[in-house]
């Protein structure tokens, strides 16, 4: 995987993860191209596109488009499953996730993504383990925050 | 978890901004506040400020001043600050930034931290943005963690190793033993990472590949376990047990089994089992089947398995889901060259996919259909492709048009069919065809001499209907100019004739000339065609004269030049007109430079067309242009020429056109006389010798040979039929500036009497602009 983007129908970016080192200009170009290509697609069309030498897989969930750019050897159908798994994770964490959750808690979305994907590959294939790891990390964070808030009190 | 209130407050404020300007104002204020906060000492709110900055960054605003803050936060002992710091590092820093090196030490310390969550943060960041230097520094740490006890850390370290191997392939050897050991893990996450790591190692190093071939039985065993295992709440997706791991193992097996019989044999049974037992009603199952098919086609599998794989692809092709159809066509494209017959069986379905609504599916179907065209199915396939061309989306039009042309060229059953097909394409998608189409089509038409009547009728109709498609208009004008007489005759066997008067034809050409849709090149075609008609028609020659004289003052330099020259042809050299405008000989596709039947060093003037991309057209106007230039000299015929006079129109290069000297005047008349004597279009094939000079018993013959690439070889043969010997025979030739001339030594310089011996000389012409 080269990149993962989340954007809505008004082409506002909600999450961007780059697995390859690229320049800022290239990132902006990719975002522009992806939003243009994907948002214009009709409802029940094929989820796979070609852009330069990358395969693009996208899926729409409610108001958000999840868009992945990957190499020629990768399996497109499996990437659809990857996207679906990520949405399931978000759903389990936030409870009926919607776009607003991702806007106001974007750093959490990134943390969940980092438990699931790393270096452009799937890190953990078990749904349960990812959830456990996120919870534990949150506990760790919360404890410190509580500790900190007590200090100033 | 307690949400970061101040961050959310800011997000709310930004979102409530109604215009872009208002939003920019809010963000500028916030960024100023954040910058001020960064400069202060530790105040407990650093993580919030950085999070705010990251949000602003995601909206697209510059946030580079946060880079140092990231470095500081990563070094902080508090977990929440570290977390945000590492997130900031992954978003703001990449290996091109200088600040990224500063975090190497922090990462190193955190890799040895007691808490595995801190370790995981460091591993994640390294795998995301680690530069080659950082990877080299930390590789040994990663190797240590690969043997750690916790599977949580092991799986992260494995993917980190994958990143390191991608960045610094030499370090692969460091990880090979650990990778081998990891295959024995039970944890799916670690196993998955291990398989990816082994894949990377094998792809980059051939020896490692050989080494890991021994692991094939182990992989087969793992895979079999996955396929036959029952439901597991953790890993099962739509009835398939851990499809992610299955797909990765299949991919690794593909790499290990490629070009190797023993490894391929070991996996045959497994692949058959997966192919038959996997339920493909949902995407997960289809993904596994897809990967299986790709693996089967790539390794040295037995034929039964290959047939099974192609059948699976055929089944996919009939699936209702567009995604499945798309990937099946992608796979079929990969195997169409090796298993052509197997794919041909599905031709009907593929052609149906051309009519699908979806643009991606259409594209795949087009490429596959073009690959499936063969001599047997050319007619039916072409019908479908032409239908597709009329309805296809604009981005596919030029690809489709060029594909159709290639297919027509390779497999056309008859010339008429070929011409019809090209005409059809020009009418439907004329604007998207490549530039060489026009000369190619013209050359094709001249070659099909029995179809001239039919062709010109069709083209005339097309021209009258629509003059917006430039390539079509150009070809139509050319044909009408050449074969206008058969159009006027009104009879034609192959298509129903239409009654056309000379006025109609001239009207059509004039419309093209005056229309604002015509490009300058098209106008040039039309003007020349009008001129050519002056010899083909009988009554309206005056009309033609008036048209031509009007364009003598046209703003376009090219048109003006042509018109002036044609005018001259009418006025002073009317007796030349018929010879100049006679029908073209059959063009040879690869011939460049002078045509057969022309004198070798022919002076060529850039009359029509001006585009260097259409070199074949330059061949056509040579007779016209050459004579036009020669006309200057004919005005002062002078002393009788010497027997061994210059061959071509000139004793030496003269100015940019490289043409004639005055003394050649007398000869040229005879030269032209020679030309006039052969008015009919001689489909002269290359080796025929043409007599270019015949005077006082000296006969000079010229024969061209099939040019190799851009060069033409001309052999000049001189014979003496008179009763006297001729000595000191020299031949000179002149060429235009863009053609290179090389004259080899003559076989002799004296011609004995009565044709007892001949003198030959070879001339090489090279036109690099071909």
């Amino acid at each position: 995987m080269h990149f993962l983007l989340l954007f809505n129908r008004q082409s506002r970016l909600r999450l961007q993860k780059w697995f390859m080192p690229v320049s800022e200009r290239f990132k902006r170009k990719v975002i522009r191209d992806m939003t243009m290509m994907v948002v214009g697609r009709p409802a029940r069309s094929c989820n796979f596109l070609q852009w330069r030498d990358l395969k693009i897989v996208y899926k729409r969930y409610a108001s958000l488009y999840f868009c992945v750019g990957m190499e020629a050897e990768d399996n497109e159908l499996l990437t659809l499953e990857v996207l679906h798994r990520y949405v399931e994770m978000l759903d389990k964490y936030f409870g009926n996730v919607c776009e607003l959750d991702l806007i106001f808690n974007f750093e959490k979305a990134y943390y969940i993504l980092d438990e699931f994907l790393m270096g452009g590959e799937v890190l953990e294939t078990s749904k349960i383990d990812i959830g456990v790891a996120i919870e534990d990390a949150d506990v760790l964070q919360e404890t410190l925050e509580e500790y900190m808030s007590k200090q100033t009190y | 978890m307690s949400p970061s209130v101040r961050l959310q407050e800011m997000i709310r404020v930004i979102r409530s901004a109604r215009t872009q300007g208002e939003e920019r104002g809010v963000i500028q204020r916030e960024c100023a506040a954040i910058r001020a906060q960064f400069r202060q000492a530790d105040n407990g709110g650093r993580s919030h400020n950085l999070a705010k900055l990251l949000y602003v960054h995601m909206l697209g605003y510059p946030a580079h001043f946060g880079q140092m803050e990231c470095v500081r936060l990563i070094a902080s002992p508090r977990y929440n600050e570290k977390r945000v710091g590492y997130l900031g590092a992954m978003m703001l820093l990449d290996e091109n930034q200088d600040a990224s090196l500063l975090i190497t030490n922090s990462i190193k310390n955190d890799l040895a931290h007691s808490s595995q969550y801190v370790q995981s943060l460091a591993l994640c960041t390294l795998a995301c943005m680690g530069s080659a230097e950082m990877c080299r520094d930390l590789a040994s740490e990663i190797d240590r963690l690969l043997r750690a006890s916790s599977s949580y850390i092991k799986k992260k370290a494995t993917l980190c190793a994958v990143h390191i191997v991608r960045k610094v392939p030499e370090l692969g050897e460091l990880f090979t033993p650990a990778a081998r050991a990891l295959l024995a893990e039970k944890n799916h996450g670690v196993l998955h990472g291990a398989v990816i790591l082994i894949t990377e190692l094998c792809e980059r190093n051939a020896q490692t590949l050989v080494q890991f071939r021994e692991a094939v039985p182990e992989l087969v065993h793992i895979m079999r376990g996955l396929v036959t295992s029952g439901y597991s709440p953790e890993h099962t997706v739509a009835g398939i047990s851990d499809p992610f791991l299955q797909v990765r193992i299949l991919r690794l097996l593909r790499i290990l089994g490629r070009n190797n019989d023993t490894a391929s044999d070991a996996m045959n049974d497994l692949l058959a089992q997966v192919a038959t037992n996997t339920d493909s009603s949902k995407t997960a199952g289809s993904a596994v089947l897809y990967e299986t098919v790709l693996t089967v086609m790539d390794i040295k599998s037995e034929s039964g398995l290959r047939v099974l794989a192609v059948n699976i692809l055929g089944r996919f092709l009939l699936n209702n889901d567009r995604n499945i159809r798309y990937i099946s066509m992608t796979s079929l494209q990969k195997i169409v060259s090796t298993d052509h017959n197997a794919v041909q069986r599905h031709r009907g379905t593929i052609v149906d996919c051309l009519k699908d609504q979806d643009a991606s599916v259409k594209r795949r179907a087009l490429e596959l259909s073009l690959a499936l065209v063969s001599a047997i199915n050319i007619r039916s396939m072409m019908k479908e492709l032409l239908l597709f061309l009329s309805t296809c989306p604009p981005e596919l039009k030029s690809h489709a048009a060029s594909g159709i042309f290639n297919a027509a060229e390779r497999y056309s059953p008859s010339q008429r069919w070929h011409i019809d097909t090209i005409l059809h394409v020009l009418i439907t998608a004329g604007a998207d065809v490549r530039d060489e189409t026009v000369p190619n089509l013209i050359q094709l038409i001249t070659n099909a001499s029995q179809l001239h009547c039919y062709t010109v009728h069709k083209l005339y109709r097309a021209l009258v209907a629509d003059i917006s498609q430039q390539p079509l208009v150009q070809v139509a004008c050319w044909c009408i100019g050449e074969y206008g007489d058969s159009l006027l005759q009104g009879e034609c066997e192959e298509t129903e004739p239409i009654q056309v008067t000379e006025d109609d034809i001239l009207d059509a050409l004039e419309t093209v000339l005056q229309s604002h849709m015509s490009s300058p090149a098209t106008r040039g075609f039309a003007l020349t065609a009008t001129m050519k008609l002056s010899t083909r028609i009988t009554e309206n020659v005056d009309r033609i004269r008036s048209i031509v004289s009007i364009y003598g003052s046209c703003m376009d330099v090219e048109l003006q030049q042509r018109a002036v020259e044609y005018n001259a042809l009418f006025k002073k050299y009317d007796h030349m007109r018929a010879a100049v405008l006679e029908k073209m000989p059959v063009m040879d596709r690869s011939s460049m430079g002078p045509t057969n039947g022309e004198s070798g060093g022919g002076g060529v003037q850039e009359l029509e067309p001006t585009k260097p991309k259409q070199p074949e057209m330059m061949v056509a106007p040579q007779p016209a242009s050459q004579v036009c230039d020669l006309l200057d000299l004919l005005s002062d015929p002078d002393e009788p020429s010497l027997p061994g006079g210059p061959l071509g129109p000139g004793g030496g290069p003269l100015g940019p056109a490289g043409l004639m000297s005055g003394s050649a005047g007398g000869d040229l008349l005879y030269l032209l006389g020679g030309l006039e004597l052969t008015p009919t279009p001689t489909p002269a094939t290359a080796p025929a010798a043409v007599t270019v000079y015949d005077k006082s018993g000296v006969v000079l013959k010229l024969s061209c040979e099939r040019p190799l690439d851009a060069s033409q070889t001309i052999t000049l043969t001189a014979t003496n039929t008179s009763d006297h010997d001729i000595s000191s025979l020299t031949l000179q030739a002149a060429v235009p500036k863009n053609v290179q001339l090389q004259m080899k030594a003559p076989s002799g310089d004296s011609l004995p009497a009565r044709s007892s011996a001949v003198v030959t000389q070879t001339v090489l012409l090279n036109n690099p602009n071909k």
Side-chain angles (χ1 to χ4, degrees):
Chain A
M1 241 180 268
H2 282 222
F3 56 82
L4 169 67
L5 301 173
L6 257 73
F7 45 86
N8 67 2
R9 285 191 63 80
Q10 281 76 44
S11 306
R12 302 283 288 217
L13 195 66
R14 296 301 174 206
L15 190 145
Q16 54 175 329
K17 187 78 183 179
W18 302 90
F19 299 109
M20 290 279 151
V22 287
S23 67
E24 277 296 323
R25 267 189 73 192
F26 184 74
K27 285 185 194 174
R28 277 197 287 274
K29 171 147 182 57
V30 170
I31 295 170
R32 244 196 340 264
D33 285 351
M34 289 300 116
T35 46
M36 243 168 30
M37 277 167 58
V38 169
V39 171
R41 301 272 288 173
R44 268 191 313 277
S45 45
C46 183
N47 292 99
F48 310 132
L49 301 166
Q50 191 77 24
W51 182 81
R52 297 200 184 171
D53 60 338
L54 292 177
K55 294 196 219 186
I56 307 293
V57 177
Y58 78 93
K59 191 117 196 311
R60 182 175 171 190
Y61 287 93
S63 60
L64 279 178
Y65 286 99
F66 288 66
C67 178
V68 167
M70 50 188 227
E71 289 171 352
E73 301 90 50
D74 291 334
N75 187 325
E76 296 99 317
L77 293 172
L78 196 69
T79 311
L80 278 178
E81 283 299 312
V82 167
L83 289 175
H84 192 73
R85 178 63 70 89
Y86 182 50
V87 172
E88 279 179 356
M89 294 285 104
L90 290 173
D91 198 42
K92 210 169 94 171
Y93 183 80
F94 287 107
N96 242 341
V97 66
C98 63
E99 191 182 341
L100 281 178
D101 288 324
L102 295 184
I103 295 172
F104 284 96
N105 299 296
F106 69 94
E107 74 271 20
K108 303 283 192 319
Y110 275 102
Y111 298 149
I112 297 173
L113 186 65
D114 286 335
E115 288 296 327
F116 179 44
L117 298 175
M118 198 159 105
E121 307 286 347
V122 170
L123 172 64
E124 177 57 67
T125 58
S126 154
K127 305 178 218 188
I128 299 179
D129 283 357
I130 301 180
V132 165
I134 301 283
E135 299 260 329
D136 286 349
D138 278 341
V139 165
L140 198 57
Q141 178 161 338
E142 202 175 79
T143 315
L144 287 170
E145 291 226 353
E146 282 178 359
Y147 178 69
M148 276 175 49
S149 59
K150 279 181 188 150
Q151 206 177 31
T152 56
Y153 188 64
Chain B
M1 72 257 68
S2 54
S4 157
V5 177
R6 282 170 282 176
L7 166 65
Q8 297 203 333
E9 200 45 51
M10 183 192 83
I11 295 177
R12 214 176 311 249
V13 171
I14 291 176
R15 278 172 61 78
S16 60
R18 268 159 300 162
T19 66
Q20 183 80 331
E22 211 178 308
E23 180 184 290
R24 253 202 303 273
V26 169
I27 288 181
Q28 268 176 356
R29 275 198 304 276
E30 285 293 333
C31 283
I34 293 171
R35 264 196 294 257
Q37 298 265 9
F38 283 170
R39 278 195 287 268
Q40 286 177 18
D42 179 10
N43 56 4
R46 284 159 66 186
S47 58
H48 298 305
N49 289 322
L50 188 59
K52 281 196 270 187
L53 185 60
L54 293 177
Y55 181 77
V56 164
H57 172 73
M58 190 150 63
L59 290 177
Y61 296 91
H64 42 267
F65 55 88
Q67 287 175 5
M68 285 314 293
E69 188 66 13
C70 291
V71 176
R72 256 176 267 143
L73 278 179
I74 288 173
S76 151
R78 296 196 198 116
Y79 177 70
N80 62 332
E81 289 183 353
K82 263 199 212 290
R83 216 179 185 193
V84 179
Y86 274 118
L87 179 63
M90 283 193 274
M91 282 178 77
L92 299 177
L93 295 172
D94 59 23
E95 58 182 36
N96 301 325
Q97 311 285 348
D98 299 325
S100 62
L101 288 172
L102 298 172
I103 62 174
T104 314
N105 208 29
S106 302
I107 293 183
K108 191 165 189 172
N109 293 337
D110 284 337
L111 282 177
H113 203 275
S114 49
S115 161
Q116 67 174 0
Y117 292 104
V118 175
Q119 283 178 312
S120 85
L121 284 177
L123 284 167
C124 191
T125 309
L126 183 60
C128 179
M129 45 76 71
S131 65
E133 272 189 52
M134 286 164 70
C135 291
R136 261 188 272 264
D137 287 339
L138 300 166
S140 51
E141 281 290 311
I142 304 297
D143 191 45
R144 185 180 60 81
L145 288 171
L146 274 179
R147 303 162 212 276
S149 50
S150 147
S151 53
Y152 182 73
I153 292 300
K154 256 197 274 212
K155 74 185 182 202
K156 298 212 174 195
T158 319
L159 282 186
C160 207
V162 170
H163 176 86
I164 292 178
V165 169
R166 283 183 184 153
K167 278 275 178 230
V168 188
E170 300 87 55
L171 289 171
E173 289 154 13
L174 175 64
F175 296 119
T176 311
R180 188 75 181 78
L182 284 171
L183 269 186
E185 287 285 325
K186 292 277 169 273
N187 180 297
H188 281 219
V190 182
L191 206 44
H192 188 267
V195 171
I196 299 179
L197 180 58
I198 296 174
T199 312
E200 283 295 321
L201 291 171
C202 291
E203 272 177 350
R204 281 159 214 280
N205 190 327
Q207 283 159 328
T208 325
L209 177 65
V210 171
Q211 207 180 336
F212 273 108
R213 280 221 178 96
E214 296 149 30
V216 169
E218 212 174 324
L219 289 165
V220 169
H221 178 74
I222 298 172
M223 188 73 188
R224 197 160 272 147
L226 284 172
V227 174
T228 51
S229 77
Y231 174 78
S232 135
E234 282 189 77
H235 296 126
T236 306
V237 178
I240 311 290
S241 180
D242 207 343
F244 304 106
L245 184 57
Q246 286 196 28
V247 166
R248 285 301 330 199
I249 293 182
L250 285 168
R251 206 163 131 180
L252 178 56
L253 287 176
R254 182 154 87 232
I255 294 172
L256 294 176
R258 205 178 270 160
N259 292 330
N260 184 294
D261 288 322
T262 28
S264 307
D265 285 337
M267 357 174 153
N268 262 321
D269 288 338
L270 169 72
L271 292 172
Q273 190 181 3
V274 175
T276 40
N277 287 351
T278 309
D279 169 28
S280 64
S281 51
K282 293 286 171 83
T283 316
S286 306
V288 174
L289 264 186
Y290 175 42
E291 199 72 28
T292 315
V293 166
L294 287 179
T295 304
V296 165
M297 302 314 291
D298 221 7
I299 66 172
K300 290 188 177 311
S301 50
E302 54 187 28
S303 56
L305 199 50
R306 285 186 96 90
V307 168
L308 182 60
V310 177
N311 286 345
I312 292 178
L313 287 180
R315 224 172 57 219
F316 276 177
L317 208 51
L318 297 165
N319 196 308
N320 281 331
D321 188 349
R322 283 205 172 101
N323 295 336
I324 311 268
R325 266 185 284 164
Y326 180 93
I327 57 137
S328 90
M329 282 197 278
T330 316
S331 329
L332 286 172
Q333 185 84 34
K334 289 189 192 136
I335 64 172
V336 75
S337 41
T338 45
D339 293 79
H340 191 90
N341 293 333
V343 184
Q344 279 281 4
R345 258 182 279 134
H346 301 285
R347 190 165 52 87
T349 326
I350 295 170
V351 165
D352 279 337
C353 286
L354 278 174
K355 306 189 186 94
D356 195 297
Q357 300 291 338
D358 185 271
S360 309
V361 173
K362 271 194 171 124
R363 181 189 294 268
R364 284 272 162 255
L366 172 67
E367 284 186 29
L368 201 48
S369 306
L370 289 174
L372 284 178
V373 172
S374 73
I376 313 163
N377 57 28
I378 178 74
R379 282 188 193 266
S380 47
M381 285 296 279
M382 196 49 79
K383 248 196 303 224
E384 297 288 342
L385 286 170
L386 289 174
L387 196 60
F388 172 72
L389 190 63
S390 44
T391 54
C392 80
E395 61 266 11
L396 289 178
K397 264 205 163 109
S398 67
H399 184 63
S402 45
I404 289 176
F405 284 147
N406 284 340
E409 232 174 83
R410 290 218 302 267
Y411 302 114
S412 69
S414 73
Q415 276 181 327
R416 176 176 159 171
W417 184 91
H418 195 172
I419 290 180
D420 275 344
T421 310
I422 299 191
L423 284 180
H424 194 131
V425 174
L426 284 181
I427 294 174
T428 16
D432 298 299
V433 297
R434 281 202 309 256
D435 293 322
E436 318 63 279
T437 317
V438 172
N440 284 348
L441 179 56
I442 288 177
Q443 190 254 325
L444 200 64
I445 291 176
T446 49
N447 279 336
S449 41
Q450 71 278 14
L451 291 171
H452 285 164
C453 189
Y454 168 72
T455 315
V456 74
H457 272 94
K458 275 200 90 158
L459 282 170
Y460 177 74
R461 279 204 201 102
L463 184 67
V464 167
D466 172 25
I467 60 167
S468 61
Q469 310 267 40
Q470 298 304 300
L472 181 64
V473 172
Q474 286 172 5
V475 176
C477 288
W478 192 90
C479 281
I480 292 175
E482 278 293 305
Y483 311 121
D485 41 352
S486 32
L487 189 59
L488 287 167
Q489 277 163 16
E491 348 168 311
C492 184
E493 320 86 52
E494 316 236 352
T495 180
E496 54 179 77
I498 46 178
Q499 298 309 317
V500 178
T501 64
E502 297 176 359
D503 273 321
D504 291 335
I505 303 184
L506 289 174
D507 280 340
L509 288 174
E510 240 183 316
T511 322
V512 173
L513 270 173
Q514 290 163 355
S515 161
H516 62 280
M517 288 190 280
S518 305
S519 70
T522 314
R523 286 217 180 91
F525 271 89
L527 190 60
T528 310
T530 315
M531 191 59 197
K532 283 189 199 168
L533 281 176
S534 70
T535 49
R536 320 272 200 262
I537 65 179
T538 47
E539 293 167 3
N540 289 19
V541 183
D542 289 332
R543 186 173 167 186
I544 294 182
R545 284 189 77 149
S546 60
I547 294 176
V548 167
S549 56
I550 287 173
Y551 280 90
S553 45
C554 172
M555 289 299 289
D556 182 346
V557 176
E558 168 65 23
L559 276 182
Q560 187 185 77
Q561 181 176 8
R562 291 187 193 203
V564 164
E565 282 167 355
Y566 292 154
N567 246 338
L569 206 53
F570 266 122
K571 297 206 179 95
K572 275 172 50 174
Y573 306 109
D574 208 33
H575 52 287
M576 297 287 128
R577 207 158 37 88
V580 171
L581 299 172
E582 68 199 17
K583 287 215 172 119
M584 299 292 299
V586 170
M587 277 183 269
D588 177 40
R589 161 160 263 159
S590 50
S591 72
M592 251 310 299
T595 14
N596 313 317
E598 292 301 303
S599 43
V604 174
Q605 194 156 28
E606 287 274 349
L607 252 202
E608 61 174 275
T610 46
K611 284 196 248 187
K613 279 185 283 189
Q614 298 181 352
E616 281 114 323
M617 280 312 287
M618 267 182 55
V619 169
Q622 274 184 20
S625 55
Q626 185 177 2
V627 176
C628 285
D629 295 318
L630 299 173
L631 295 176
D632 294 337
L633 303 165
L634 291 174
S635 50
D636 54 278
D638 46 20
E639 66 275 4
S641 56
L642 305 163
L647 162 71
L654 243 193
L659 288 179
M660 26 271 175
S661 60
S663 61
D667 272 342
L668 296 173
L669 266 177
Y670 289 96
L671 207 55
L672 283 177
L675 279 180
E676 276 190 37
L677 284 174
T678 56
T680 53
T682 42
T685 48
V690 177
T691 308
V692 292
Y693 181 85
D694 186 354
K695 193 185 167 219
S696 311
V698 178
V699 176
L700 221 46
K701 283 198 171 60
L702 183 157
S703 68
C704 302
E705 262 139 45
R706 218 13 108 249
L708 303 163
D709 34 58
S711 57
Q712 183 116 349
T713 313
I714 297 173
T715 312
L716 309 164
T717 317
T719 39
N720 182 1
T721 52
S722 71
D723 291 339
H724 311 286
D725 290 341
I726 291 173
S727 61
S728 311
L729 181 71
T730 51
L731 297 172
Q732 293 168 341
V735 290
K737 231 169 43 165
N738 59 333
V739 179
Q740 295 158 8
L741 174 72
Q742 191 186 1
M743 294 191 78
K744 302 267 166 85
S747 61
D749 69 347
S750 54
L751 278 176
R754 286 188 211 62
S755 314
S756 42
V758 296
V759 169
T760 53
Q761 186 167 14
T762 316
V763 177
L764 282 176
L765 291 165
N766 185 21
N767 188 342
N769 291 336
K770 192 176 185 175

